[in-house]
Amino acid sequence: MPTPLGLALLFAESFVVYSLLRYPDEKSTKKLAQRVDLQKHEVNPLLTLLARKWSLNAAFRVTWVLTASIIAAADTFLGITISPGIPAVAFFFGTVHILAAASNIQLDYRTKNTSREEIDAETYRFARSLSALDWKGRWTLLLERYAFTFLVTIISLAAIFLYLLSSAIDPTSEFSNVGAVMSNASSVEIGAILLFFPSIFLGTIAWSRRLTKFYRSGKLVGPTGPGGQYIEIPVSIAEEALNIAKSKQASTIRLQLNATPSTP
């Protein structure tokens, strides 16, 4: 029977472990918030609600204390540890935060050359597409846009379901073979997911080396070469813009492209 001091130490260990693993997710989310509107992009409804009522920092503090306390209480009640000083529940949910942080870092890199206005415009177009569809069309659009996430979710849930169901079957019953098949199937699916990401990483390294080789050999065409993107401007418009610029003694000319026409 654990002593009160032992339970208190386990609670504190769980709280600290979860907090440390959660920190990269919080830091990367705050960095993204400098460029994107979290109310439109954050998937955690509690965080967006609290951030809307108070501030992002306050929302993170509240969710941190609340979540860490619940997880620490679960670790204290269950008493499952991976090793001394590493509570299982805290490590499990902390790992989820590490994955979320990695996703944030990747998204930050992909959008670092994109302005906030461009991100908002893309979000608006996606929201407009969703709003124009019925529930079936929305599901189809979401499945197409997030096909990888959807498929991994299905495989993961199937693996969990098969494992739990196989554990519930008595090995001595007439359905023992069915239970073994379910257990093996869940192991194969989990193994496939675990091996997929290392394969993608190794493939990315090989791809980056090949891309670098193409660039150094001159096989890659720059944006100003053939295949680049161009726009055609009528001469009359160019001349008018030049005349206006000269009359205002401007040193540059700004042309607005893809402007949304105003409605009367």
Side-chain angles (χ1 to χ4, degrees):
M1 183 70 180
T3 63
L5 179 59
L7 294 176
L9 288 176
L10 182 58
F11 184 94
E13 289 174 352
S14 176
F15 196 98
V16 171
V17 168
Y18 172 77
S19 300
L20 291 176
L21 294 177
R22 169 194 165 96
Y23 177 73
D25 184 15
E26 179 177 333
K27 183 178 180 180
S28 58
T29 302
K30 288 181 178 179
K31 185 177 180 181
L32 270 179
Q34 298 174 1
R35 188 163 56 254
V36 302
D37 185 355
L38 289 186
Q39 296 296 328
K40 301 175 184 177
H41 297 275
E42 174 60 44
V43 297
N44 186 341
L46 179 60
L47 183 64
T48 56
L49 175 64
L50 296 178
R52 188 165 57 249
K53 288 182 174 295
W54 299 320
S55 66
L56 183 59
N57 289 332
F60 270 121
R61 284 194 295 269
V62 171
T63 54
W64 163 55
V65 174
L66 179 63
T67 308
S69 299
I70 294 175
I71 290 175
D75 270 322
T76 304
F77 176 76
L78 296 175
I80 303 175
T81 58
I82 299 175
S83 67
I86 305 180
V89 179
F91 188 77
F92 174 82
F93 285 100
T95 302
V96 174
H97 280 290
I98 293 294
L99 294 174
S103 176
N104 290 339
I105 293 172
Q106 182 170 303
L107 179 61
D108 179 67
Y109 176 80
R110 289 183 174 180
T111 59
K112 67 179 181 180
N113 294 324
T114 306
S115 66
R116 189 184 184 97
E117 290 74 16
E118 291 173 321
I119 295 175
D120 288 341
E122 172 62 25
T123 304
Y124 174 81
R125 287 191 292 268
F126 180 62
R128 182 177 58 188
S129 299
L130 280 177
S131 302
L133 300 172
D134 56 11
W135 68 269
K136 186 177 181 180
R138 292 179 184 178
W139 271 104
T140 302
L141 178 59
L142 289 174
L143 292 182
E144 291 177 351
R145 185 182 176 100
Y146 303 104
F148 176 77
T149 302
F150 171 75
L151 187 57
V152 172
T153 300
I154 294 298
I155 295 176
S156 300
L157 292 178
I160 295 173
F161 174 77
L162 290 173
Y163 175 77
L164 294 177
L165 195 59
S166 66
S167 301
I169 297 178
D170 188 355
T172 61
S173 68
E174 57 181 334
F175 299 103
S176 59
N177 291 335
V178 177
V181 170
M182 290 182 175
S183 179
N184 293 336
S186 65
S187 300
V188 169
E189 290 183 338
I190 293 174
I193 294 176
L194 294 178
L195 288 176
F196 172 80
F197 292 100
S199 301
I200 289 296
F201 179 73
L202 294 176
T204 301
I205 294 177
W207 166 78
S208 64
R209 294 184 63 183
R210 185 170 66 254
L211 200 63
T212 303
K213 184 178 180 180
F214 285 162
Y215 174 79
R216 291 176 177 175
S217 63
K219 294 181 179 180
L220 285 182
V221 179
T224 57
Q229 296 182 352
Y230 303 92
I231 58 172
E232 294 184 357
I233 302 175
V235 176
S236 59
I237 295 179
E239 291 177 344
E240 182 181 357
L242 287 173
N243 292 332
I244 295 176
K246 290 179 180 179
S247 64
K248 295 184 177 181
Q249 297 182 349
S251 59
T252 59
I253 298 176
R254 176 182 297 178
L255 298 178
Q256 185 175 1
L257 304 177
N258 298 328
T260 303
S262 58
T263 55

